[in-house]
Amino acid sequence: MRPGCKTFILYTANLLLCTKHYGVLTGKHFFIVITISLFCNAASAQHRVSLSARQITIEEALRKIEAQTGYHAWTEDGVLEKAHKIDIDVNNLGLEQVLEIVFRNQPLAYKVIGQTIVVKLNKENPALLYIKGIVVSEGQPVESASVQLKGSARGVITGTKGEFSLARIPTDTILIVSYVGYQTREVIVGDEKVLQIELFKAAQQLDEPVVIGYGTTSKRTNPGSVGILDSRQIGIQPVTNPLLALQGRIPGLFIQQATGVTDGEVKVSIGGQNSIASGNEPFYVIDGVPFPSATLIQAGGRILVNGSPLVYLNPQDIESISILKDADATAIYGSRGANGVILITTKKGNFGNTKITGYSVIGIARVASKMKLLSTPEYLTMRREAFKNDQTEPDPTVDYDLLSWDTTRNIDWQKELIGRTAYIFQERLSISGRNKQTTYYVSGGYRRETTVFPGTFYNSKGSLHASFNTIGENRKLALNLSVNAALDTKTLPALEPTAKSLTLPPNAPSGYNTDGTFNWAPGYDNPNAKLHQLYKACGNNLIADVNLAYNPLKGLKVKANFGITSTVLKEITPVPVNTINPVLGITTSSSLFANKVVRSWIAEPQFEYIYYLGPGKLTLLTGFTFQDISTNNDNLVASGYIDPSQLETTNGAANIDILDKNSSQYRYFGAFTRLRYDLKNRYIMEVTGRRDGSSRFAPNRQFATFGALGFAWLMMEEPWLKSKLSKVFNFAKLRSSYGITGNDQIGDYQFVDTWQPTTYPYDNRIGLNPLRLYNSEYGWESNRKLNVGFDAALLKNRIQFVISYYLSHSSNQLIEYPLSGITGFPYVQGNLGVIVMNRAVEWEINTLNIKSASTKWTTSLNLTIPRNKLRAFPKLLGSNYAYQYIIGRSLNVFKAFHFLGVNGNTGIYIFEDVDKDGHISFPNDLAANKNVGQKFYGGMLNTVSYKQLSMDIFIQFIKQTGYNYLYGISSMPGMLANQPKYVLSRWQNLQSPGDVERFSQQVNGVTYTAYSNLIASDAVVSDASYIRVKNISLAYCFSGRILRRIRTTQAKLFLQGQNVFTISSYKGVDPENQSINNTLPPLRIYIFGVEITFN
Amino acid sequence: MFRRIVHFAFVISLIFLTNTSCKKFLSVRPPNGQLTTSAIFANDSTATAAILGIYEGLSSESEAFPSGRKSLSVLCGLSADELDNYSGIPDAKQFYFNDISPDNGLNSGIWDQLYESIYRCNSLLDGLSASSKITFQVRQQLSGEALFLRAYFYFYLINLYGSVPLSTTTTYQENDKLQRSPIKTVYNYIKNDLITARQLLTEEYASGRERIRANRSAVNALLARIYLYTHNWEQCITSATAIIGRKNQYQLCGNLTDVFLKNSSEAILQLQPTVPRYNTFDAEVFILNSIPTVVAFRPEFLSVFETADKRMTSWISSISIDNTTFYFPYKYKAKSGESIKEYLMMLRLSEQYLIRAEAYAQLGRVDNANTDINTIRERAGLSPLSLTSIDSTLQAIYKERQVELFTEWAHRWLDLKRTCRADYTLGFLKSPGWRSEDTLYPIPRSEITLNPNLTQNAGY
């Protein structure tokens, strides 16, 4: 371009561009333009341009246009630096149109003058902005928040300091700012170019954070099926095992308290029974550390069986519990996810002021349900009638109850043995606060409770929880540390007296003689002496986790999680000689000692990357797991003690025999990844995969791959639906997932072809024999899960509901595969083609019934209808399960003789003679008319608050069949043992037939044979449905005026009750733990306490 | 930048996934108190322990096929004409009445235990062949013993059940689907094994002075028996003579009461009792102190004995309760609580005399046969025979076997079957229940359920 020409054009251009609307030209200028146009003799519209490029500068774009059209571009110096890169893809388009595209949204203006394209800074039009901003909450930056342009796919992720920048933003743009756990905000970009956007903690349930495997999400956008219970609902339940707090609250999660003894067994199943022979336990993760939840109890007698070490976690220290149910949520745990995953997150400090909270509780607990037993007159009637029926007389060497004991004595042994009141004391102090970049939360708790048994028994526990979260000065490095430690010590009776309390005759003598010694009256199994055989245990538990995160680049996080767990339990069960009936002739004391140590460590390096890719947001997580669990246990019996005072050491023992001494090691390696793509906040897709290796399998079978696909469609984000339904629906989501998870709960070393020493020496040397077949072939059990759900919120979020359907097929089951004897062994652990199907429909409805300034009432209701079916079982007839299962029926099927009633003529029980051979025999007469399991279950929570008063009532309901009292009691009515009142409706004669067999006390009669058949019949199974007011919590928070007077920030008085009231027609002690082993029924607990917070 | 990160993640992933250290990470220490196969066959001592394990397994069980109430001596004695049943157990009655159900637990017990023992031999042989760390002599010795024991077990399997599956490996996937092999095939297999074992083993007992581990003579003794059963008379004579000729090592006990003592001069192979304070379980089950609850002799059985037969007084005893006299086998005299005096006899010399006598008779060498029979008769205090016809010699041998080898390892039952006298002898005695098919026990039903390739014996 010639200089002279340039000057001229510049002048003209200035004239043109300085006009406010350069399309409107004044006469003088118009003239000049016309002149130039004519002079140049060209029509720009005739020039056509093809241009395709990504992220090119304006300068480059203009060069290409110049090359194609022969036009020249003219710019003022430095102007183009202000421009942003562009993406362009045009084909054979007119020059004007192309320029329109090139300069769209640029802070530049252009004009074609002759064959020159004049480009100048658009001073008059501030429409295109380059904005910067930070996202904060409570004064702290929010990292990885999403800032998106409304109506566009453009968006960015905030950096470590909450900062973000967006270029080429037209004015009046709306930004959508969102982050898990916070209310999504829409911000209008005005003139200000530096924005500070404040996010507020989610008030809506839908946006509350939901902890999932290796991350968090929100209910709103999660394509998976996750149940969650928050600290409030955990905290108001006076339970010691956090699992009990979940009872009835989460659809699809079934929890059964097997005993009322604190720290006893709690059975948990997520999504039904998947595995026949391997474990059905969910996978527990506490603050990112997998927790070996298997029981440590070895010598717990019958009082503590299968108690989980999870009781070492103080429920008050828990922030939330997530229950991961479907494949989308669990596949990231791969081989360990088949039975669901329970994630427990403990409390952490926040950026509020330093707070000290004290919590102090006293409470009582009593057995909630008892069985109505025969009184002495009724009992004696039964016994005498039995002798009359048997046409014999009582034997003075056997029938002491009739001939030597006081027949006027009438004792309620349930009251004597399990009828005491247990007292509960609980203290807790927590401190939380912050210090620049650090937040902390420290709490210590102590709990001591006594038992309902007569004697000085107690169970006490101290716990410590600490959490530190710190962020580096430049906010690139973050460190989280969490520690949960607990110590416990308990002294309990070694044997549970519940069974005894149900069977001791009501006229049995007192346990003590007048001089305080034990009463060893003949024929009397002294329960008080048994209660002096103690079970003493002390244990400790440590779970520690360090989580490091480093942000080298915006959107990228490199994380590492290191955790350890250590659980130790020492048990002593002393048996002093004075507690043993002297007629047995034992003259020395003995004691059982057991120690168990479980240690584990885990290391998990991870990478997380968030990026706006194409039209949506991509979140990528990938990581690796290395885990090791070592178990050591020994169990020995020391006997021959002369001095009973030495029973708690092995020193005074004459003999020490090792019952069991074992150590085992388990190692696990996995690589996992989760890819989430979020398109316009409307379509969310998740792909999860995991490759797992476990030492429980032979070297060529150690690795397996699991994965899942999840999809969510947030329907109300669709404009066409929103316009129609937004008056009713605030939110609607359709979600679905499908995937494969695995199960390796088969025990260690099962594949190894180990040899074990022979019992005795041969030729003076110990020999060796193969312990099991060499089996390198078996691999993972796998579980294919399909989940479909619909979540919605309507009427201004006042009603929220969730409907889910899941279907799972558990296959490749590891069971004892029956082999022909030719192989040398009857079974081999193998992946038999057993297929177990579980499906369920789950409902969850939350409603906000009343909300006013002073009153709030919410209800939430959940219901689960589970079904279970054995789809395939090759070689069932040859297996151990031949008499237990039926293909095509539920695993809950109860195969037994079919009870038909009492024969009106003989007074003897009758059963269905399936094979018509004239007598009832195993296995030919087994029938399958009943199931033992749940038809449906659920719960309803009502929370009402009025001014400072709040009340929560939780009702649990279950429709099920279960074992009734006949399952546990093995004495025939008429024998020397008490019976429930039900037996009074017995057959007496033809005129009064009754529904209970005629009384008899003979062991070798037809009556006894029929009775033996009865307890092997389906009569032991009956309805065990119940509705139970599981929890009532009343709290009063003091108002500000009183608080100021007592110089506190918060003060609360509360009264909580557990297992308050039950409606059931169950025939037995308690429909929840049923009569299994006649354990103590769940206790009714009331606690009263105060919680005070100081700033 | 995105590409860089993907690249980075990919490289890291590759490092983790391709690295063999992942596999290494998953190798864990073995459980306490148990050894893996590779460890067993890493040295002579543990490999030897593996063969001792087989013997211990035969000896320790109070209720297994070698001795005790579930032994071949008891159950086959019931099936034959030796013993009367006094047990209330239905399964035992079925043996007595030759009406054994395929569901019979005692029957499947024999089957399972024999195959379990065979598995142990197979795993020992597999382990030895896979290992290079065992010294030559030990390898020879252990292989020889394992081959011998396996042959011993198969001998009983084919004689009780007819053709049976021939399992020679530890691979359960194959064993689980095996078909029955013809009797001849199994015999050939075990003959070959024994011939190999004869080369591997020496005349020395690995157990030193104790005759409780198989040596070359034990192999010869079993070979002689198998040649007898397969009518290979010449070989039979050779094998038996190889033992009988070793007069320094093996001699008939002059006194009948010494025969079953531990390390008796007549013993070729004995099982050492292992359970502390227990002698043989045969003594436990046979010796009566009160009314029999398991078995006692059939009174008719005693009529076979000649009046002068010292075996009648030395090896049989009786108890009288309420004017009823019960006779019982008294070969083993030491019950529990006594010091260990007696070992359970597996192979003994007098059987070899009788085997050789029968082979001679079959070949028409009646004089040689007479000599051998008379050696046994003489020891029992009986006058010598001088028979002339083959047939009468054979009959005399059969009778001699009946009174010499009674209630030992099912000899009577197997003799009746192999000499085709079962129908004649038992058909009358056990009428009307007896059928010719009863000579073979049924294959346990569960075996056929689990392995469809198996077929049931005729008549079941």
Side-chain angles (χ1 to χ4, degrees), chain B residues 426-443:
Chain B
L426 303 176
F428 171 71
L429 191 70
K430 301 204 169 184
S431 69
W434 176 263
R435 292 167 304 140
S436 300
E437 292 92 342
D438 291 337
T439 49
L440 289 183
Y441 291 164
I443 308 289

Side-chain angles (χ1 to χ4, degrees), chain A residues 193-229:
Chain A
K193 288 184 186 169
V194 178
L195 295 164
Q196 173 152 351
I197 300 167
E198 176 92 25
L199 283 185
F200 300 100
K201 283 260 164 65
Q204 268 192 42
Q205 255 192 333
L206 281 172
D207 293 307
E208 278 173 7
V210 174
V211 178
I212 54 167
Y214 304 99
T216 47
T217 180
S218 66
K219 267 191 186 169
R220 183 186 293 277
T221 59
N222 186 14
S225 176
V226 177
I228 185 152
L229 193 68

Side-chain angles (χ1 to χ4, degrees), chain A residues 779-795:
Chain A
W780 308 78
E781 286 190 0
S782 62
N783 191 333
R784 285 171 292 134
K785 291 184 200 174
L786 170 74
N787 194 301
V788 184
F790 180 67
D791 303 15
L794 53 162
L795 303 175

Side-chain angles (χ1 to χ4, degrees), chain A residues 4 26 33 166 170 209 240 243 315 352 464 546 553 596 601 643 651 731 881 911 926 944 996 1014 1069:
Chain A
T26 57
V33 172
L166 279 161
T240 52
L243 296 173
L464 179 80
V546 178
L553 299 163
K596 191 160 190 176
W601 60 258
D643 182 0
N651 294 340
F731 166 75
Y881 304 97
F911 304 90
L926 292 182
V944 185
V996 171
L1014 179 81
V1069 182

